[in-house]
Structure formats: C-alpha cells, structure tokens
Amino acid sequence: MTVDSGAEENGAGQSVRTMPTVRCRHTQVAIDAAARAIIARKGFLSTTISDIDAAGAQRAA
C-alpha cells in the first residue's frame, strides 16, 4: 500500500510539499481568524505580529 504524502521532489532531491496538510490548514485558519479579530479591535497600524502570534497559538491549541 502506498500513501501519497503530497510531496514531490525538486531538482535537488529535496522533498517539496505541494498540498497543505489538515493540521497546516487548521493553523492557517486560526492565524487568519486571530489576525482579523485583532485588526478589527486594535486597528491595522497598531497590530503587531506578536499580537497575532499569541492569539493564533491560543486558537490553534
């Protein structure tokens, strides 16, 4: 039985993921939701990556 990991090899023999995993997609959605909520609350110019990171980590857990 073979399992398709969604990875392909680039010319240098390194594995390159072509499709996001389910875990990756959940993390992406959590970060996006956190960013939108914080930007709505604090404003675009006042929002920092640290704010989004902290809130995204809480949502992904």
Side-chain angles (χ1 to χ4, degrees):
M1 181 168 108
T2 61
V3 177
D4 182 15
S5 66
E8 295 178 0
E9 234 182 63
N10 66 7
Q14 298 171 332
S15 179
V16 178
R17 186 167 298 280
T18 57
M19 297 174 14
T21 62
V22 173
R23 181 177 175 192
C24 175
R25 183 69 185 130
H26 284 285
T27 302
Q28 184 179 7
V29 168
I31 292 170
D32 185 54
R36 289 175 185 271
I38 293 169
I39 290 170
R41 188 179 71 230
K42 292 179 73 173
F44 181 77
L45 295 177
S46 297
T47 300
T48 65
I49 296 296
S50 296
D51 295 334
I52 296 169
D53 181 44
Q58 291 173 359
R59 290 176 186 247

